[in-house]
Structure formats: C-alpha cells, structure tokens
Amino acid sequence: MASAERFDAMLLGMAQQCEGGVQELLDVLFNFLARKTDFYVGGDENAAEKLINEKFKKYESFAKERAAKERAEREAAERRRKERIQKEAEKEQQRYEEIKKQEAKIVELTDEEAEKLQKEIDTEKKGEMPSSKQPEDKEKAAENGEGSDEESEEDKKKMKPNSGNGADLEHYSWTQTLQEVDLKIPFNVPFPLRSKDLAIEIKKKHLSVKLNGKPAVIDCELHKPVKVEECNWLIIDKKLVHITFEKVNKMEWWDRLITTDPVINTKKVQPENSKLSDLDDETRGMVEKMMFDQRQKEMGKPTSDEQKKQDMLKKFMAQHPEMDFSQTKFN
C-alpha cells in the first residue's frame, strides 16, 4: 500500500481537474486503458471485467475497514472528552461541597484570627488596586453608567458572540465553554479529506492548520494557553476539521480564538439554558458561582469568597465593638 501512495499527488492533481467528480475521473482512467493499452482485448474473454471486480472488492473492504476504524477513533476521542469533562465536574462539585461544609460551620474568631483575616483582605485589595476603583471613583463611575449592565462605547464596537459563545468568521467558526474551545474549519476540496492531507500543529499558545500544498488557514498565536496533551482533532464527513482545545484557565471566557481575530463582547456570553438545566442542583450552583465571580471581577467588585471574608470580619466587629476598625475599608 505504501508504494501505491507515491502516486497520490499525481492522482489528486487529476481529481482536482475533473469537475465532474469521481465519474469523470473514472472516465479518464478507463479511456486511457482503452486507448493506450490492451487491457480490454489482451486477455481471455471477461478477464478485464473479472480483474476490475476483484480489485473493486479488495479496496471496498479496505475502505470500509478504514471508515470503521476512523469512526471508532472519533467515538473514542469523544468518549475521552466526555469522561474528562465529567471528572472535572466531579472535582469542582467536590470542592463546592467542601465550601458548603465550611460555610455551615459557626465561625468564632479569636483576636489573632481576626488580625490574620484583616491582613489577608488588605493584601488582596493591594493586589487588585491597579484594576479596582476607590469608593469615590466608583460613585463617579456609577453616575456615568460605568460598571453597570449597560454597554460601554468600547463594548458596542465588539463583535456579538454566536450561539456557542464564540464567533463565526470567514474561514472557520469557534465556540466555547468555561472548560473548552471547539474550532470547526470546512475545506472545499473535490476529494475526501484524510488526515495525511493535513498539517495540524497545536502548541500551548500557537496553532497552525493547513492543507498540504496550500497556504495555512490558521498560523498564529492562540489568545490564551491550552493543555496540549488534552487537545485533539478529527475529520467529520470527509470535509470538516473539528479541533477541541482544553483551556488552562477554566475560570474565564475567551474574547477571541487567535490574536488576530476580531474581539467578541464577553459580557454577552452566556451558557445555554438547556445545558445548565441538564446539571444537578449542586453542580449547577457551582457553575453559577463561577459565572457570578467572573462578572464581579469584570466590574471590579469582590468575588463570593472575598465577600465571605468581609462578612466574617463584620461579624467579628459586631461581637467586639470595643475594638477600633476605623481604618478598615470594604468594597
């Protein structure tokens, strides 16, 4: 089989010139045999037909076995992807249950614990200061409509996400969840697309996709890093390349796939309601908490965990009014 593949480039060139598809290609081949060889008349009666049937059945079996293998590989890849997502969901659910258990406990802070908690809050505030606003600034921003649900002029210029929270572009489309990004690239070619026809390279922050002998469809830096070992790709319907990336940071939405893409408005990104409804109550609560924290960060407000720390300190203040908390600031 390997020796026969040396003619692939020549035959692909012929196929690309046959606008009538496979029928025209077969006409060209049998016309050549009839004009330039003794294929039809050089042997016994029906020898040519017998030979054609023999070769047809041989490669029919080969094609079916290969198709079955590719289908099995796709199903295995999809099964691994679902198992990976399920494991991630189980880990997050376990972590969320631990948080709920901790919340259920009655916390009594000692003076030392309160001082330590105050230092943690102060440290976090200092780390957020460049992107956060002072209370006075927040009041002004509220008057100007900043940080509200209304779109800013900059957001209005951004592209609206498609139904999959990604973008539909000229040569490809992509969608995303908090965990993964799916990229689909259609190829308009007059022959069944195979893996050896493609050159696909996925790195932590770079993606290259091209058809052999053609300019690359994508050859650019990814917007955010991905876990290369968890990425995979497959060919669908012999015309479409489907690539799945696993995000390194599963707590943020991408506003573009590669650095040269138009930016989408991530404030318009929302998971499909049908997908959320498929989750159990605890897992859905975990996802909604992640979404809430994401929105809070975008508006420069404290996340749910940060708010819990502040609530704990306020409770301690109420229990110990004799202590001076005049210098303590809360968002």
Side-chain angles (χ1 to χ4, degrees), residues 4-22 24-26 28-29 189-192 194 197 211-214:
E5 291 178 355
R6 70 183 186 276
F7 299 111
D8 282 359
M10 184 188 306
L11 292 170
L12 283 173
M14 291 173 56
Q16 289 172 348
Q17 295 182 51
C18 292
E19 297 180 358
V22 176
E24 185 177 351
L25 179 61
L26 290 175
V28 171
L29 293 174
V189 291
F191 55 86
R194 296 173 295 179
D197 298 326
L211 188 67
N212 292 333
K214 301 289 184 181

Side-chain angles (χ1 to χ4, degrees), residues 28-272:
V28 171
L29 293 174
F30 284 111
N31 181 284
F32 169 78
L33 292 173
R35 290 184 299 104
K36 298 296 184 180
T37 73
D38 63 351
F39 176 75
Y40 288 101
V41 296
D44 297 334
E45 187 177 358
N46 298 327
E49 183 178 355
K50 182 179 179 182
L51 180 59
I52 289 172
N53 288 332
E54 179 183 332
K55 296 299 181 183
F56 175 84
K57 291 186 178 298
K58 175 182 177 181
Y59 290 102
E60 180 186 32
S61 299
F62 170 78
K64 288 182 177 179
E65 289 174 3
R66 181 171 181 176
K69 182 180 178 182
E70 290 177 350
R71 185 168 58 252
E73 289 175 352
R74 288 197 301 269
E75 291 173 352
E78 180 65 15
R79 186 166 57 254
R80 289 194 298 270
R81 188 181 73 85
K82 290 182 178 179
E83 289 174 354
R84 185 171 66 250
I85 292 174
Q86 180 64 27
K87 287 180 181 178
E88 291 289 343
E90 290 174 356
K91 288 180 182 178
E92 290 296 333
Q93 182 177 347
Q94 185 177 3
R95 186 177 70 85
Y96 184 65
E97 289 175 352
E98 291 297 324
I99 292 174
K100 288 182 66 178
K101 288 179 182 179
Q102 293 175 8
E103 289 177 350
K105 295 179 181 179
I106 299 176
V107 180
E108 293 291 342
L109 299 179
T110 64
D111 292 351
E112 292 180 356
E113 290 173 333
E115 183 180 354
K116 181 180 178 182
L117 182 58
Q118 179 61 51
K119 287 180 179 178
E120 274 188 293
I121 294 174
D122 291 341
T123 301
E124 290 178 1
K125 285 183 178 179
K126 288 178 182 178
E128 294 176 357
M129 197 60 69
S131 60
S132 301
K133 298 181 179 180
Q134 296 296 335
E136 296 83 0
D137 293 335
K138 287 186 178 180
E139 292 176 4
K140 293 178 182 178
E143 292 175 1
N144 295 328
E146 296 177 9
S148 66
D149 291 337
E150 295 181 5
E151 284 188 286
S152 66
E153 288 300 320
E154 183 179 352
D155 287 335
K156 290 178 180 178
K157 296 177 182 178
K158 295 177 181 178
M159 189 177 185
K160 183 179 179 181
N162 61 20
S163 59
N165 299 325
D168 297 322
L169 305 176
E170 182 180 0
H171 299 296
Y172 53 87
S173 65
W174 63 277
T175 59
Q176 65 173 321
T177 64
L178 279 172
Q179 293 80 25
E180 293 185 332
V181 174
D182 283 324
L183 169 64
K184 293 182 179 179
I185 309 174
F187 284 89
N188 185 17
V189 291
F191 55 86
L193 201 60
R194 296 173 295 179
S195 58
K196 68 178 183 178
D197 298 326
L198 298 161
I200 297 179
E201 184 178 33
I202 304 172
K203 296 182 179 179
K204 186 174 182 180
K205 281 211 67 177
H206 190 274
L207 172 65
S208 175
V209 180
K210 66 178 181 179
L211 188 67
N212 292 333
K214 301 289 184 181
V217 179
I218 298 176
D219 188 7
C220 190
E221 292 292 304
L222 289 164
H223 175 51
K224 296 287 184 179
V226 298
K227 293 183 178 179
V228 178
E229 65 278 6
E230 299 297 337
C231 299
N232 58 73
W233 64 273
L234 52 87
I235 299 172
I236 299 176
D237 296 332
K238 302 179 181 179
K239 297 289 183 183
L240 181 75
V241 172
H242 181 190
I243 307 177
T244 301
F245 309 91
E246 182 171 337
K247 297 178 179 179
V248 171
N249 185 347
K250 294 181 172 59
M251 291 291 291
E252 65 178 351
W253 297 103
W254 287 16
D255 63 10
R256 72 201 87 169
L257 174 70
I258 56 177
T259 54
T260 56
D261 275 350
V263 178
I264 67 170
N265 185 356
T266 55
K267 291 182 181 179
K268 296 286 187 180
V269 166
Q270 288 291 340
E272 295 181 13

